[in-house]
Amino acid sequence: MRRLKESDSNKPADKCPQGQVGHSRKHESAEQHVTGEAHYTDDRVISTNLLFAAVGQSPVAHAKIKSIDLSAVRQAAGVKAVITVDDVPGDIDIGPVFPGDLVLAKDNLEYVGQPIFAVAATSQELAKKATRLVVIEYQELPPVLSITDALEQQSFVRPSYVMQRGDSQQGLEQAKNKLKGQIKIGGQEHFYLEGQVAIAEPLENDEFLIYSSTQHPSEVQKLVAEVLHVSLNKVTVETRRMGGAFWW
Amino acid sequence: MTDTIQFLLNDQLISLTQVNPNLTLLKYLREQQLKSGTKEGCASGDCGACTVVSVEIDAKKSDRLVYKSVNACISLIGQMHGKQVITVEHLKQGDRLHPVQQQMVDHHASQCGFCTPGFVMSSYALHQNNPQPNREEVVQALAGNLCRCTGYRSIIDAAMQPCEEIAGSSEREQSVIQQLAAIAQQSSLDFQSQQRRFFSPKTTDELADYLVENPQAKLVAGGTDLVLEVTQNLVEFEQLVYLGQLEALTTIYENDQQIVIGAAASYCDFEPLLKKHYPELGAMISRIGATQVRNTGTLGGNIANASPIGDMPPALIALGARVKLQQGDKIREIALQDYFIDYKKTQLKTAEFILSIQINKLKSNQRLKVYKLSKRFDDDISAVLAACFIELEDQTISKIRIAFGGMAAIPKRASHCEKFLLGKSLSQNNIDQAKRALAKDFSPMSDVRASADYRMLAAQNILQRFYLEILSVDQTEEDSCHLIRVSENA
């Protein structure tokens, strides 16, 4: 076994490139961060033949889709392609750990903002503007928005499970002092500052190079390959850095 | 008339013609200049990731420059005419980081780094104006920048470090002053592209005439609200008239009785004067938007916009402010409280614009208190805003104006509540009844910021707080004792 060495805090920091306990090391990208030289996905200079994508999103929390009319979207200025879930050649489920997360909505809308279709256009503005021309007919369904409602309706995302140690029931019954009450706290999206962004560059031989702001490049590789119904080696994903990441 | 936008981008003089007036400064920097150090976070002026520094010649001292942090995402390219825009790329000299950058590195003040250029620029603007800021000033300067990796402590520590003078900077400033002064000599700016027109007049006559001919034109002052239409709703305005070059609309002055603020004067310019005369209002103003928004946002904009949750109108209504309006060559003056008719509907006629706002100074037996309730302290929209103005004579309320924002479709006075209190003494019993009267004045709505019940209860509790504060001031603060003394002697 290698012996632990005493940290020599008198030794100048630049003599220990890996850093040492007791030495203050600057962030490896600190100078790029403070000068604006650090490149994030959207900062890449892209080739002029790339199109810009935007997704049309659900305006409602819960509904059954009756019809989608995309004709005005297809005819909008700058639009080169419009796709729905029916155009996906491979898997439509991109749930990373458990299934249940569709790449584009199929028959039902399950949350506000759910992607329904995607547009590729000659500029980001034109792509975004085109998405707003869709006409969707849907039948609204009551959404389940609180834990109380979900329990009442037995509406669970995943099967229930119990984490338990000892007998809490008995413990409470025998407790000398008891406090009872309720607390409600609102949910909070962590709001990483960088927008959700990716660049997909078609290469030779039907391969794709994807620059993505993701914490999990190999997961992106797998999911993209599955959605496109190609083998994993056709998809390369590169992540330089992310503008915010708070574990999972 | 010139059709060329001219501004300094860092050291470079930029001349632009044939540009779409809806182009934002951020898009111009990132996509046309490929200066990607300035980031797009929220695209609505809330997060500060796009902060750049806008430099102008000091209106009071023509040999000095003023540095203002602004949100590039909601600044239109035409608004930059005659200014210097400094981006994060400009700070480093050769291999040497600027002191504000070096301090950020040394204090471990970046983590993911996405918000960092914005923080650097806010800190840079602060240090250019004030080389040794205290903590309070640092916190104010950085309030419009969000960091989500939670690094505020280290960022504040970094920004607290004094900056040493950079060699050659005063020569560079003199050169900037000369170049900006040359652009300022030019006449009004009027450019167009793709049937979109941007006009920036220099006199009120030009403005009045233009509006009579083009009544559908949109006025843009700071743009802190209007430009969200461009970034969020993808609107392209056909005609924009920028008010920032009109000296008559940006002037601020006072006499013995009044303060007069030009409609296009920005918060950062009138805040010190209002703070001096109405400390409670000053404290509230420091919570309107954040530094970047107050550096461009204007008083006239906050009024003309007619939002039920604009923060200035209730406070100004409580002070009995009046607005001066111009249409063609006709000038009229109305009480601000009469300006608002219904949700986003005002007295402003076609082709009419706000010239200035007149606010009465407080007499020694008058008090103003302002309360802003919002979920965040800085950079947030009010759930309820209350402004209470009171005059006491002989322990009796001889004048009262209580105005609320966020309680109705317009900023509105609590008339039942006022009527009950007028002529009465300040007592717990009277306040209790005034609180009940308040329920007759308003039926607030529930929305994302607060429920109707919360708004009503909070408004009533504000009355209680107002009463207790007036009472405790009379008992404890010596400098405010005149309130009671005046009434005793009256």
Side-chain angles (χ1 to χ4, degrees), chain B residues 11 214 244 246 478 480:
Chain B
D11 281 340
N214 304 278
L246 285 154
E478 244 192 77
S480 298

Side-chain angles (χ1 to χ4, degrees), chain A residues 69-107:
Chain A
D69 181 358
L70 289 162
S71 48
V73 182
R74 288 182 208 281
Q75 280 157 27
V79 171
K80 299 288 180 186
V82 181
I83 59 162
T84 69
V85 73
D86 297 333
D87 300 302
V88 175
D91 287 350
I92 59 166
D93 198 319
I94 54 165
V97 182
F98 303 111
D101 192 1
L102 300 188
V103 63
L104 292 169
K106 203 166 164 63
D107 305 311

Side-chain angles (χ1 to χ4, degrees), chain A:
Chain A
M1 188 198 267
R2 195 159 55 89
R3 287 182 58 170
L4 292 174
K5 282 194 285 189
E6 278 280 303
S7 163
D8 181 0
S9 54
N10 294 321
K11 197 170 164 187
D14 56 7
K15 292 280 190 297
C16 12
Q18 302 309 314
Q20 231 178 40
V21 173
H23 285 158
S24 175
R25 305 291 300 176
K26 65 186 178 195
H27 189 307
E28 52 84 25
S29 289
E31 293 193 4
Q32 286 76 47
H33 289 160
V34 298
T35 53
E37 289 164 13
H39 270 211
Y40 298 80
T41 304
D42 196 37
D43 300 337
R44 294 193 73 85
V45 177
I46 53 169
S47 39
T48 49
N49 61 349
L50 284 184
L51 294 172
F52 295 82
V55 288
Q57 294 171 289
S58 169
V60 291
H62 195 194
K64 185 170 176 51
I65 300 174
K66 286 159 81 179
S67 70
I68 301 178
D69 181 358
L70 289 162
S71 48
V73 182
R74 288 182 208 281
Q75 280 157 27
V79 171
K80 299 288 180 186
V82 181
I83 59 162
T84 69
V85 73
D86 297 333
D87 300 302
V88 175
D91 287 350
I92 59 166
D93 198 319
I94 54 165
V97 182
F98 303 111
D101 192 1
L102 300 188
V103 63
L104 292 169
K106 203 166 164 63
D107 305 311
N108 295 301
L109 299 175
E110 292 184 314
Y111 58 94
V112 172
Q114 183 176 6
I116 305 171
F117 61 96
V119 175
T122 49
S123 80
Q124 205 186 349
E125 284 67 42
L126 291 174
K128 277 196 211 168
K129 278 184 181 169
T131 61
R132 304 195 177 190
L133 301 173
V134 70
V135 182
I136 302 178
E137 263 192 279
Y138 49 81
Q139 181 197 344
E140 271 202 70
L141 300 169
V144 183
L145 299 176
S146 70
I147 292 175
T148 327
D149 288 353
L151 285 170
E152 222 166 66
Q153 297 181 28
Q154 295 287 295
S155 168
F156 301 121
V157 176
R158 296 287 307 152
S160 300
Y161 63 97
V162 179
M163 284 194 281
Q164 184 177 345
R165 197 170 72 176
D167 186 345
S168 58
Q169 193 68 33
Q170 197 193 1
L172 280 172
E173 274 164 21
Q174 291 171 358
K176 193 174 149 201
N177 303 308
K178 286 178 202 173
L179 275 175
K180 200 175 170 181
Q182 276 190 354
I183 184 170
K184 265 191 198 172
I185 50 168
Q188 174 71 60
E189 164 67 34
H190 29 46
F191 190 63
Y192 37 83
L193 286 189
E194 184 187 24
Q196 295 192 6
V197 58
I199 302 166
E201 211 172 288
L203 304 177
E204 61 181 34
N205 199 21
D206 293 333
E207 291 175 20
F208 279 94
L209 173 57
I210 294 174
Y211 300 98
S212 173
S213 173
T214 175
Q215 286 181 289
H216 204 332
S218 51
E219 181 181 275
V220 172
Q221 179 196 29
K222 173 180 173 285
L223 294 172
V224 168
E226 286 172 357
V227 167
L228 294 178
H229 198 57
V230 298
S231 55
L232 264 65
N233 65 332
K234 296 265 189 191
V235 180
T236 306
V237 179
E238 191 179 312
T239 302
R240 178 76 188 101
R241 56 165 62 79
M242 285 159 282
F246 312 101
W247 287 94
W248 294 348

Side-chain angles (χ1 to χ4, degrees), chain B residues 182-194:
Chain B
I183 303 174
Q185 295 298 316
Q186 295 174 6
S187 53
S188 307
L189 171 70
D190 189 351
F191 66 92
Q192 47 187 313
S193 165
Q194 299 154 31

Side-chain angles (χ1 to χ4, degrees), chain A residues 24-27 33-38 40 42-43 125 128-129 132 190-191 193-194 242-244 246, chain B residues 27 30 36-37 39 41 88 92 97 101 104-105 108 110-115 146 148 232-234 236:
Chain A
S24 175
R25 305 291 300 176
K26 65 186 178 195
H27 189 307
H33 289 160
V34 298
T35 53
E37 289 164 13
Y40 298 80
D42 196 37
D43 300 337
E125 284 67 42
K128 277 196 211 168
K129 278 184 181 169
R132 304 195 177 190
H190 29 46
F191 190 63
L193 286 189
E194 184 187 24
M242 285 159 282
F246 312 101
Chain B
K27 220 168 144 54
R30 289 184 58 85
S36 58
K39 306 300 177 195
V88 69
K92 188 173 154 186
L97 296 179
Q101 294 174 314
M104 290 280 281
V105 172
H108 311 283
S110 74
Q111 191 172 322
C112 86
F114 199 83
C115 68
L146 298 181
R148 293 301 300 124
Q232 304 298 308
N233 292 336
L234 311 177
E236 279 209 33

